Amino acid sequence: MMAQARTVIGESVEESIGGGEDVAPPRLGPAVGALADVFGHGRAVARHGVSFGRELAKIAVGRSTVAPAKGDRRFADSAWSANPAYRRLGQTYLAATEAVDGVVDEVGRAIGPRRTAEARFAADILTAALAPTNYLWTNPAALKEAFDTAGLSLARGTKHFVSDLIENRGMPSMVQRGAFTVGKDLAVTPGAVISRDEVAEVLQYTPTTETVRRRPVLVVPPPIGRYYFLDLRPGRSFVEYSVGRGLQTFLLSWRNPTAEQGDWDFDTYAGRVIRAIDEVREITGSDDVNLIGFCAGGIIATTVLNHLAAQGDTRVHSMAYAVTMLDFGDPALLGAFARPGLIRFAKGRSRRKGIISARDMGSAFTWMRPNDLVFNYVVNNYLMGRTPPAFDILAWNDDGTNLPGALHGQFLDIFRDNVLVEPGRLAVLGTPVDLKSITVPTFVSGAIADHLTAWRNCYRTTQLLGGETEFALSFSGHIASLVNPPGNPKAHYWTGGTPGPDPDAWLENAERQQGSWWQAWADWVLARGGEETAAPDAPGSAHDRALDAAPGRYVRDLPAG
């Protein structure tokens, strides 16, 4: 997202956990209410309470087999297994968490998926917050660090805590500030800005091969978050890889809107994509282009395809989707944030303030994974007194952008009412959306560990559009799948035949491939790239001259002049 789910539900999540400057709902609001309702089911609570009591008896006499899940780094210190007191403390916490999860799962079968998702959201935050590793006296590693440093770790932790209170609204910092500079360390693939208006810049990347395919690729990133997750660093850059495969690669860099641009909506962004298509066509001399949309950028590109299809316009030859969802009909999907009242409140606040801030979007995403994205850093920064890591993707995640209130409201409508999949429910550029009218070839990708845009929901896109389609599945998570280069020895993906209606059946028959889904996409788009031609000597054209070197101005919030 950063990501599509951040875009769609950001304000709703922020309100539900009590963030923002003028929030009316109580802390955790409806989610806490749902959890209270769950624990009002006495029989389920009693059953799991009895099981918890039996496990406590086993823990007390040292016969319990309860252990942390594989990969749970919270209990990595040897004291959690070697010290009897800490072992019993950890087992008690894990057994209690299992009991809470069991109650939510059992009652969830009776109260429905959306209410269950609300309860699960609150339960995950509650159990994550109560982990003994979050507190000094019950964290053996933190106590050892304090002893070994003669208390210096606690002094550093206090300094970090005060800094976060002042500069980060009390949230623990996930990345070392100032460790990376855009244009110097990040977003360094050579290129030029060949177009700029008030909405976006268009970047053209410098070819690295003697010949290129005549039909260019235009990348449409999401309108929330800077584009450079697609151009992190050499070796971890999607656009660098694309250029290296002999593809003429162009990319939209959206402007970071202020309250003055609060009325920007789908028409604004879709219209800019169409203008960019024409600019790319003029520079390359190609009659049409291949598009690829990432996250919510794929939704915007879809409305463009729909508009062009209605006019019989063939300016787009093919479309690729990366972790993009078009169908939000899954009743369990992000259900903790789907309450109509909460969405109405969020839309009203969007209209009042004009924009949804990057800070609010960041908080929304963070609380969906409290162990990894909150309490992990509480322990690292405050208890251990360590500086947050200098990691490129975390630096990008911390460098957010705003979202116009009008566009945010439309995304909330898509999320709440699933208006994209019902013909005529949404109109963009004056054209009612009908997904079956889109008949260009499509390449759809998802990520098997994606907790934001679940891969089966991404797969649904193959059944919604009207043209031939292929699907590829990455092994990793939402953002990890987008920054995972082919050289990673752990990377793999699945490809298969023509996607049918059942995603699990597709996966059962798919073939595992070593490397990154980037390779499958590049092979697919090269087959639709037209003939080879000599690589251009310079960016731009006589009509669209190069303005600045990449990464441009908008990614750094510099004025257009």
Side-chain angles (χ1 to χ4, degrees):
M1 284 167 179
M2 137 14 255
Q4 179 175 337
R6 286 168 70 179
T7 304
V8 175
I9 66 166
E11 182 71 358
S12 303
V13 182
E14 179 66 15
E15 305 302 350
S16 74
I17 63 173
E21 297 92 350
D22 56 350
V23 177
R27 191 170 183 80
L28 287 177
V32 168
L35 186 61
D37 288 348
V38 164
F39 277 87
H41 287 68
R43 290 184 179 180
V45 173
R47 275 193 293 271
H48 289 278
V50 169
S51 297
F52 176 54
R54 289 172 180 164
E55 195 62 45
L56 283 181
K58 293 180 182 179
I59 291 170
V61 298
R63 296 176 55 192
S64 174
T65 59
V66 171
K70 184 179 180 180
D72 190 341
R73 295 175 296 173
R74 295 176 298 174
F75 300 96
D77 190 273
S78 61
W80 291 110
S81 57
N83 183 292
Y86 278 116
R87 184 175 67 250
R88 285 169 170 80
L89 175 62
Q91 288 179 324
T92 298
Y93 165 75
L94 293 170
T97 299
E98 184 177 338
V100 171
D101 290 343
V103 173
V104 174
D105 289 341
E106 180 176 339
V107 176
R109 291 191 286 271
I111 64 175
R114 287 204 181 274
R115 195 68 169 157
T116 301
E118 291 178 337
R120 173 68 60 201
F121 176 68
D124 286 349
I125 293 177
L126 176 64
T127 56
L130 293 177
T133 48
N134 297 333
Y135 307 96
L136 177 63
W137 298 112
T138 52
N139 187 320
L143 288 173
K144 291 175 187 175
E145 187 76 6
F147 179 81
D148 291 344
T149 63
L152 183 59
S153 63
L154 300 182
R156 290 194 297 254
T158 301
K159 181 181 178 182
H160 293 158
F161 177 70
V162 172
S163 175
D164 285 337
L165 278 179
I166 296 171
E167 299 179 13
N168 206 36
R169 293 202 306 194
M171 292 292 289
S173 299
M174 289 190 287
V175 66
Q176 181 181 341
R177 295 186 180 94
F180 299 98
T181 301
V182 175
K184 178 181 178 183
D185 308 296
L186 309 173
V188 297
T189 299
V193 178
I194 53 87
S195 169
R196 179 187 297 121
D197 64 13
E198 66 170 356
V199 180
E201 296 173 325
V202 177
L203 306 182
Q204 179 182 7
Y205 288 96
T206 303
T208 57
T209 55
E210 292 184 0
T211 61
V212 294
R213 296 304 175 110
R214 178 171 294 281
R215 184 174 290 119
V217 171
L218 174 61
V219 181
V220 185
I224 181 71
R226 317 281 179 176
Y227 80 81
Y228 64 85
F229 71 94
L230 298 171
D231 187 23
L232 272 181
R233 289 192 288 173
R236 278 166 56 81
S237 167
F238 176 85
V239 295
E240 176 192 51
Y241 178 79
S242 177
V243 169
R245 291 295 301 270
L247 294 166
Q248 297 191 74
T249 305
F250 296 76
L251 180 144
L252 278 156
S253 174
W254 302 112
R255 179 182 178 183
N256 186 14
T258 65
E260 294 180 359
Q261 290 85 42
D263 61 346
W264 287 4
D265 58 8
F266 265 112
D267 286 352
T268 308
Y269 285 85
R272 184 60 180 102
V273 173
I274 291 177
R275 293 195 299 276
I277 290 171
D278 287 339
E279 291 160 354
V280 171
R281 290 169 61 229
E282 192 276 328
I283 287 172
T284 61
S286 176
D287 292 333
D288 52 12
V289 305
N290 293 311
L291 288 183
I292 179 169
F294 288 80
C295 310
I299 295 179
I300 292 171
T302 299
T303 66
V304 170
L305 294 175
N306 176 80
H307 177 69
L308 296 180
Q311 297 181 325
D313 193 314
T314 59
R315 277 179 278 182
V316 174
H317 183 75
S318 75
M319 175 71 201
Y321 292 93
V323 292
T324 295
M325 283 171 44
L326 301 181
D327 186 349
F328 289 83
D330 184 348
L333 178 66
L334 303 173
F337 320 115
R339 293 176 66 87
L342 194 60
I343 289 180
R344 284 195 300 271
F345 181 87
K347 290 181 70 174
R349 191 164 182 240
S350 296
R351 288 191 297 269
R352 292 195 308 273
K353 301 186 74 173
I355 58 170
I356 303 304
S357 72
R359 189 181 293 271
D360 284 349
M361 289 291 159
S363 294
F365 179 74
T366 295
W367 282 106
M368 295 179 69
R369 296 175 61 192
N371 272 326
D372 293 337
L373 300 181
V374 180
F375 297 108
N376 174 49
Y377 296 99
V378 167
V379 173
N380 180 81
N381 303 359
Y382 307 155
L383 301 189
M384 304 298 289
R386 295 171 181 166
T387 301
F391 189 39
D392 50 16
I393 195 62
L394 290 179
W396 165 81
N397 187 65
D398 198 49
D399 185 19
T401 61
N402 305 319
L403 190 69
L407 183 65
H408 178 253
Q410 289 177 312
F411 273 124
L412 287 173
D413 287 339
I414 290 171
F415 173 61
R416 178 190 62 193
D417 299 326
N418 202 23
V419 297
L420 279 175
V421 302
E422 299 182 36
R425 290 286 304 278
L426 174 70
V428 177
L429 298 174
T431 304
V433 173
D434 181 358
L435 296 182
K436 283 296 183 184
S437 71
I438 299 171
T439 58
V440 299
T442 55
F443 177 96
V444 181
S445 70
I448 201 164
D450 195 333
H451 68 289
L452 291 178
T453 55
W455 78 268
R456 291 177 180 85
N457 294 311
C458 293
Y459 181 94
R460 275 282 296 146
T461 297
T462 65
Q463 307 301 301
L464 295 173
L465 305 177
E468 66 179 59
T469 186
E470 292 187 22
F471 185 75
L473 180 61
S474 172
F475 84 107
S476 51
H478 187 76
I479 292 298
S481 71
L482 305 181
V483 299
N484 210 340
N488 181 354
K490 296 182 180 180
H492 55 274
Y493 62 99
W494 291 266
T495 58
T498 301
D502 185 349
D504 294 299
W506 177 89
L507 181 58
E508 184 177 349
N509 295 299
E511 183 178 352
R512 174 172 162 156
Q513 313 279 354
Q514 190 66 29
S516 168
W517 69 270
W518 296 2
Q519 297 162 272
W521 166 79
D523 291 343
W524 181 86
V525 79
L526 280 168
R528 292 158 179 81
E531 70 274 15
E532 291 189 23
T533 185
D537 295 328
S541 67
H543 182 268
D544 290 300
R545 297 181 180 275
L547 304 176
D548 298 301
R553 292 177 171 267
Y554 284 171
V555 74
R556 294 178 286 191
D557 287 338
L558 296 176

